[in-house]
């Protein structure tokens, strides 16, 4: 059965972007090292510390399907039809994807679902026994609140942003996690991984 992880780069005070969706210094660590990190199938490459690459590359390589919300799809123009990570992508949306975008990207391995629950179910079906990554923010927070997330992965950057888009979106309530099962200190980033006990 597929595992579901909510993941993002996050500030110390819990933000994944500013209110205008820019990320400021959150992604600086992607460019401060001498070891190449490669995302598939997008082909994006970064240069991170050796320690970060040893943690992040296997994690990214394990992702089979990514689940995002419509806002992120619109903000990134659907990454031009190539998922940032994983072979397929599910967009949670109540509106069809734009016809002109579909025409420009006829082979994009993108699917849609009209709810977070349906999106996670579809992603798990597509992933088989693999890994489903849900982007943090509103969609990830909804999945977390609904009990659909098995793991939490955070790349914590030493910056306090003060405002913006929260890692868990609008999730409210207290959830007590166990200690992280992975703690990796990179250069200007701390990689944390939690497995949710049920």
């Amino acid at each position: 059965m597929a595992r579901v992880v909510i993941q993002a780069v996050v500030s110390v005070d819990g933000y994944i972007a500013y209110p205008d969706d820019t990320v400021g210094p959150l992604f600086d660590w992607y460019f401060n090292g001498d070891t190449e990190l490669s995302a598939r199938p997008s082909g994006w490459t970064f240069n991170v510390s050796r320690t970060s690459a040893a943690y992040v590359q296997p994690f990214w390589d394990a992702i089979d399907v990514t689940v995002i919300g419509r806002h992120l799809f619109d903000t990134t123009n659907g990454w031009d039809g190539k998922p940032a990570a994983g072979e397929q992508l599910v967009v949670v949306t109540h509106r069809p994807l734009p016809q002109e975008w579909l025409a420009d990207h006829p082979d994009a391995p993108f699917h849609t679902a009209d709810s977070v629950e349906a999106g996670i179910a579809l992603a798990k079906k597509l992933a088989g026994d693999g890994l489903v990554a849900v982007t943090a923010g509103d969609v990830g927070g909804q999945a977390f609140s609904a009990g659909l997330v098995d793991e939490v992965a955070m790349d914590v950057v030493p910056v306090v942003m003060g405002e913006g888009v929260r890692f868990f979106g609008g999730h409210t309530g207290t959830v007590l996690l166990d200690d992280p099962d992975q703690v990796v200190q990179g250069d200007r980033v701390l990689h944390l991984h939690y497995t949710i006990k049920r």
Side-chain angles (χ1 to χ4, degrees), residues 90-156:
V90 176
V91 182
V92 177
T93 180
H94 296 294
R95 298 173 284 136
L97 299 183
Q99 285 301 315
E100 56 276 8
W101 187 91
L102 292 169
D104 289 343
H105 306 92
D107 298 323
F110 284 38
H111 312 270
T112 58
D114 63 2
S115 71
V116 169
E117 292 81 3
I120 298 293
L122 175 58
K124 288 175 79 169
K125 180 178 177 184
L126 293 168
D129 291 331
L131 185 64
V132 172
V134 182
T135 55
D138 286 335
V139 168
Q142 289 175 49
F144 185 79
S145 293
L148 302 174
V149 173
D150 303 303
E151 305 170 19
V152 176
M154 300 176 149
D155 302 311
V156 183

Side-chain angles (χ1 to χ4, degrees), residues 34-89:
D34 59 5
T35 304
E36 185 173 277
L37 178 64
S38 178
R40 66 170 175 86
S42 65
W44 300 339
T45 58
F46 307 94
N47 290 300
V48 300
S49 71
R50 186 172 315 230
T51 304
S52 286
Y55 169 81
V56 175
Q57 191 68 67
F59 175 73
W60 283 1
D61 288 346
I63 297 170
D64 290 298
V65 182
T66 299
V67 179
I68 69 172
R70 180 57 183 265
H71 181 75
L72 184 57
F73 174 88
D74 290 342
T75 301
T76 63
N77 190 39
W79 293 309
D80 293 324
K82 293 182 180 178
E87 297 300 325
Q88 300 189 68
L89 188 137

Side-chain angles (χ1 to χ4, degrees), residues 159-185:
V159 62
V160 176
M161 296 172 66
E163 63 176 345
V165 180
R166 292 198 135 316
F167 184 94
F168 289 102
H171 171 79
T172 58
T174 301
V175 175
L176 185 61
L177 301 176
D178 287 341
D179 288 337
D181 46 51
Q182 292 184 49
V183 179
V184 177
Q185 183 173 342

